[in-house]
Amino acid sequence: MLAVQCKMARAAIGWGVRDLAKEAGVSPDTIARLERGEELKASTIEAIRSALEAAGIEFIPENGGGVGVRLRKDNCERG
């Protein structure tokens, strides 16, 4: 997960830094560090990614068009 993906994911689900930090079990400073592009432990990144995925985010890998995120289809249909 890249810094920009974290920012895009939060925007897509309407979460602030504190919301994501709470759901991932990390500090808001940890989220800020990730979004500044600082290196974090793999387990910390996985916790953040898992929280976002549980909220309905899908991560899109680099496939010629650049990395990104999207809402899972079931989340879009509810919204």
Side-chain angles (χ1 to χ4, degrees):
M1 175 175 58
L2 300 177
V4 68
Q5 287 176 297
C6 186
K7 292 177 192 177
M8 288 190 295
R10 283 194 308 100
I13 56 178
W15 282 4
V17 169
R18 287 188 174 101
D19 299 313
L20 177 53
K22 179 181 175 189
E23 294 298 319
V26 301
S27 73
D29 185 56
T30 299
I31 303 300
R33 287 176 42 225
L34 171 66
E35 292 186 355
R36 284 194 303 263
E38 295 180 24
E39 282 194 43
L40 302 178
K41 293 190 300 188
S43 59
T44 302
I45 293 172
E46 185 54 37
I48 296 167
R49 183 179 176 126
S50 292
L52 291 167
E53 288 174 337
I57 293 294
E58 287 184 353
F59 289 87
I60 303 168
E62 171 68 50
N63 59 4
V67 297
V69 299
R70 65 178 168 216
L71 292 171
R72 274 197 318 264
K73 187 174 181 177
D74 59 337
N75 280 27
C76 293
E77 292 169 355
R78 280 190 258 153

